[in-house]
Every structure is written in C-alpha cells, then in structure tokens.
Amino acid sequence: MKTLSFLNNNPDSAWNIFIAQVERVLPYLGELESWADTLIRPKRALIVDIPLEMEDGTVRHFEGYRVQHNLSRGPGKGGVRYHPDVTLEEVMALSAWMTIKCAALNLPFGGAKGGIRVDPSELSKKELERLTRRYTSEIGLIIGPQQDIPAPDVGTNAQVMAWMMDTYSMNVGSTTTGVVTGKPIHLGGSLGRVKATGRGVFVTGMAAAKHINLDITGARIGVQGFGNVGSVAAQLFASEGAKVISVQDHSATLYDASGIDIDALIAWQTENGKIKGFPGAADVNPDAFWLYDYDIVIPAALEGQITAQRAEGLSCRLVLEGANGPTVPQADDILRERGIIVLPDVICNAGGVTVSYFEWVQDFSSFYWSEDEIYQKLDKIILNAFDDVWNKSQQLKISLRTAAYAIACERILTARKERGIYP
C-alpha cells in the first residue's frame, strides 16, 4: 500500500488530519489507489493581499485565501471564513473536506474554501464591507457560478454573501446571483439555508440513534459551539424530548443536569451575542464539558476539538460532528475501541452544502421551492447518503468515517481517471 506525504510534523494539524483520513481508506480503493495522490494535491491555491482603509484613515493589510481542492466532479463549493486564526493550511484542509463531503452526498460539486485572517468583530460594518468587496475582487478571477461558488462559514453571513455577489456582478457587468450561496432570500437565497446544517446534524443523528436503539426522549446531550449549527441541532433534539445538559461557546460553558431551556438560551444569545451570563444554567470550568455523562455529544465549533486525551475521558454513545474535522485521527481510534460511534462531518454536517446546491439550482432556473419542499428534499438526500455509509460500514466492518471516505474517494477518483490528464 502506498503512503502519502504529510505537510509538517504536527499530526493534529488540519491538513495532516485529512491526509491521515485518506490513508485509512486506501486499502478499499482497489485499482483507484494509484490515483490517490490527486487527493493530497490541491488543484489551485490563491493567496491575496487585502489593503483596507480603516475608519481612522490608516491602512491595514489582511491576508486572504481561496483554495480549490478538486474540481473533477464539478465546480468548487465551499464557504468563506473570517477568523483571526485562518491559515492557508487550514483552508486547504477545509477545501479537501468539502471535496469529500460533496462526493459522499453525490452532489455535482468539487471542494473549495476561502478565508481571511481577521477578527470581524473588530471592524465596523463599513470596514467589513470594504474588506469583503476587495477580497471578492481579488479572487474574482477564479470564482463564478460554473467555476467556484463561495458560501458563508465562521465569521460570515448572508450580508457578506450579498456584498460578494454584488461585487462580482459589478465586475462582470451583469447580476450573477449564482456566484455565491447563503444569500438573503430576496437576492436569490434559498429558504431553509440558515437552519440546514443544524437540521442535517439532527436528521442523521436521529437515524444513527435508531440504529443503536438509543431513545432520544430523555437522552443527555452536550453541544460545543452555539452558532447556526449547534443551536439549531440543540433546539431540534430538545423538541424531541432530549435534555441538552451542557452547552459551550467561546464565552462560557453552561451546565444543568435537568436540561437547559434551549429556546431561552437562543433568545439570550441573540440579545447578548454570547451565552455567558445566561441565568438558566451554571457557568462551569470549560474542561468540565468533556467529562459529563452524555448519550450524545455534538462538537459544532472548530476543528481538532476531540483530542486523544478528551477521547479517553468522553462518556457518550454517539458523537455527531457538527463542525468540520473536530476529531483527530488518534481520538477516532480511541473512540472506536471504546464502542463510541462517530458520525463523521462529511455526512453529519452536510445539510448546509445540500441546501446550497438547491439554491444554486434555483438561481439558474429562477424558480424557487417552499421551505417544506426544501426540507423534504434535504432529508431525502441526507438520509440516502447516511444509509449508504452505514451499510458500507457494516459490510466492510470499518468506521463510519472510513466508509464515507471509501464512497466519496471512489466517486472522486473514478471521475478523475475517466476525465484523464490534459494535455
């Protein structure tokens, strides 16, 4: 079996985690293994300088990225992240996970991702708009509705997508709504997009719970990250009778053994911008989040959160990966040995990209579906993908993650092989 080249000596770096995940699937690729190097070589990576005139008249420079990992199955698809810790390596890994995710769902996209190393909370709205418009202009030569379609991610939202769409449209001379997804509804956005990722976590989580005979009524759940993904998933599980006993974000870790009132917590966060200070639960030490007795844990924050050490102490039956890459490979092994099932990000949190696909299709046709129709189509695609992965896992006696990668990599590398090499 061939071995793949790691980027550096840090096994827990995002890109190396992706490579380790790919290595585990090589024995199941057959003759396609000879094409596996395709997966660890991004097709295109663009680094851009973004000069920004601040409100006080000074000029600051920010570094931005857009990486297209693989376009064998269609145009690139992936979000844009505004965060102070964004790096090229992280964006590479996120773009690669998008390639796997789109293939695992059988969507007609390749994987891409973008980001700017910036703390958006430190910018005024005007500064944020100018930053976005300059970034869009800089990456404009490689994005487009048939080339690469950005979407919101950490630190970005529908307003940022509206600025991106408008900037691109001005530069090409015509309104091009399909250049981004996650837009405001009245600018060609899709109903259901905001809650789609969290809904995907819920739908796949319910399916997994059924397979392992876990009764959701009264199930104890811990949620790390309380943005669009974590809050929506928590709300949906609570509506089915589950008890969300702990919630963690960047500001605080909350705990209530009898269950936190999720609707009240969402209202508090909406008003205050964070969960800290919520009067309906105790504010505890952050490390305690990983030590409570759960049935389900939902890491919905950033990558690399479930380390080997945390995996050793984690008490639950099911991990639902709402974030991208939250479990490092060594932790994966530990959880598997301990009988804890991990539902991988490439299936579990794929609701967002699925509804982004619907939005893209709707923009081309100028025909829009109702929210009920969107959720019906979303649930069908997500559950079909889940069933494929679950069955592959049972057939080959491998983890759900390796099964998802086996399905996705076969689709990606078959497309790569059949397209051939030009010239």
Side-chain angles (χ1 to χ4, degrees):
M1 186 183 80
K2 71 189 303 175
T3 58
L4 304 177
S5 301
F6 288 81
L7 186 65
N8 53 45
N9 293 323
N10 177 11
D12 292 341
S13 71
W15 181 249
N16 282 348
I17 288 174
F18 170 73
I19 293 176
Q21 290 167 345
V22 171
E23 275 200 328
R24 294 181 179 208
V25 84
L26 294 181
Y28 308 101
L29 294 180
E31 63 178 16
L32 291 173
E33 183 185 342
S34 62
W35 289 88
D37 280 345
T38 297
L39 298 168
I40 65 164
R41 299 183 184 279
K43 178 177 179 63
R44 186 176 292 118
L46 181 63
I47 304 173
V48 298
D49 173 48
I50 308 166
L52 177 64
E53 185 174 353
M54 310 300 288
E55 299 281 19
D56 62 5
T58 61
V59 174
R60 291 179 60 189
H61 289 259
F62 298 89
E63 189 163 279
Y65 313 96
R66 188 68 185 176
V67 176
Q68 294 168 349
H69 173 257
N70 188 284
L71 306 180
S72 295
R73 302 184 72 253
K77 191 76 192 77
V80 174
R81 176 172 294 193
Y82 289 0
H83 193 276
D85 295 332
V86 165
T87 64
L88 176 59
E89 182 186 351
E90 178 191 48
V91 176
M92 285 167 55
L94 292 168
S95 71
W97 283 318
M98 285 301 301
T99 300
I100 300 295
K101 186 181 299 184
C102 290
L105 271 289
N106 210 14
L107 301 178
F109 292 132
K113 206 77 175 184
I116 303 175
R117 190 181 305 134
V118 61
D119 185 345
S121 68
E122 295 180 352
L123 302 183
S124 69
K125 186 173 181 179
K126 282 294 183 184
E127 289 169 340
L128 192 63
E129 179 178 355
R130 290 197 294 270
L131 180 84
T132 299
R133 291 186 180 276
R134 181 58 183 257
Y135 170 71
T136 306
S137 292
E138 293 290 346
I139 67 170
L141 70 163
I142 65 168
I143 64 172
Q146 295 283 15
Q147 295 173 272
D148 181 358
I149 307 107
D153 196 81
V154 175
T156 58
N157 54 25
Q159 176 61 78
V160 172
M161 294 304 107
W163 290 328
M164 291 190 73
M165 186 272 283
D166 182 70
T167 304
Y168 181 88
S169 297
M170 293 302 102
N171 287 341
V172 301
S174 62
T175 298
T176 311
T177 57
V179 68
V180 296
T181 58
K183 304 179 295 294
I185 299 298
H186 57 277
L187 291 179
S190 177
L191 295 170
R193 174 62 181 85
V194 173
K195 294 185 177 181
T197 306
R199 182 178 178 86
V201 172
F202 168 72
V203 169
T204 55
M206 290 290 285
K210 184 176 180 180
H211 275 288
I212 64 172
N213 297 315
L214 171 60
D215 187 358
I216 291 299
T217 303
R220 302 176 304 277
I221 298 179
V223 180
Q224 187 203 35
F226 206 65
N228 282 342
V229 182
S231 64
V232 171
Q235 192 174 42
L236 289 171
F237 275 114
S239 71
E240 292 294 321
K243 295 193 301 183
V244 180
I245 64 172
S246 186
V247 173
Q248 182 179 80
D249 75 352
H250 67 282
S251 69
T253 301
L254 304 179
Y255 176 74
D256 186 337
S258 62
I260 298 169
D261 185 334
I262 296 301
D263 289 337
L265 181 57
I266 289 173
W268 175 272
Q269 185 197 49
T270 301
E271 182 177 349
N272 297 278
K274 55 189 176 182
I275 66 172
K276 187 174 180 63
F278 177 65
D283 191 341
V284 299
N285 186 294
D287 292 336
F289 176 84
W290 302 101
L291 302 175
Y292 294 122
D293 186 19
Y294 300 112
D295 294 297
I296 298 174
V297 170
I298 305 174
L302 297 174
E303 59 269 10
Q305 294 300 298
I306 302 183
T307 61
Q309 182 179 3
R310 286 172 174 170
E312 291 281 7
L314 196 61
S315 175
C316 66
R317 295 181 63 188
L318 194 58
V319 173
L320 307 179
E321 292 189 332
N324 291 313
T327 309
V328 305
Q330 189 179 356
D332 249 344
D333 292 337
I334 293 169
L335 294 174
R336 183 168 170 78
E337 289 168 4
R338 297 184 58 220
I340 297 173
I341 294 174
V342 178
L343 190 54
D345 48 5
V346 294
I347 293 294
C348 188
N349 71 18
V353 71
T354 304
V355 175
S356 284
Y357 166 58
F358 298 157
E359 180 177 336
W360 181 70
V361 170
Q362 291 171 97
D363 284 338
F364 274 117
S365 63
S366 296
F367 180 83
Y368 295 89
W369 297 311
S370 69
E371 191 165 18
D372 286 343
E373 289 174 312
I374 290 291
Y375 287 150
Q376 185 179 19
K377 296 175 189 297
L378 168 64
D379 293 356
K380 182 177 181 180
I381 288 178
I382 289 280
L383 289 174
N384 283 345
F386 172 85
D387 288 342
D388 288 345
V389 170
W390 188 275
N391 292 337
K392 176 74 79 171
S393 171
Q394 297 298 305
Q395 174 192 349
L396 299 180
K397 301 190 185 315
I398 54 179
S399 71
L400 293 175
R401 189 186 313 281
T402 303
Y405 271 66
I407 292 170
C409 291
E410 180 180 355
R411 289 171 177 165
I412 297 160
L413 298 180
T414 296
R416 184 69 189 88
K417 178 184 177 183
E418 290 179 346
R419 289 182 65 154
I421 298 176
Y422 173 85

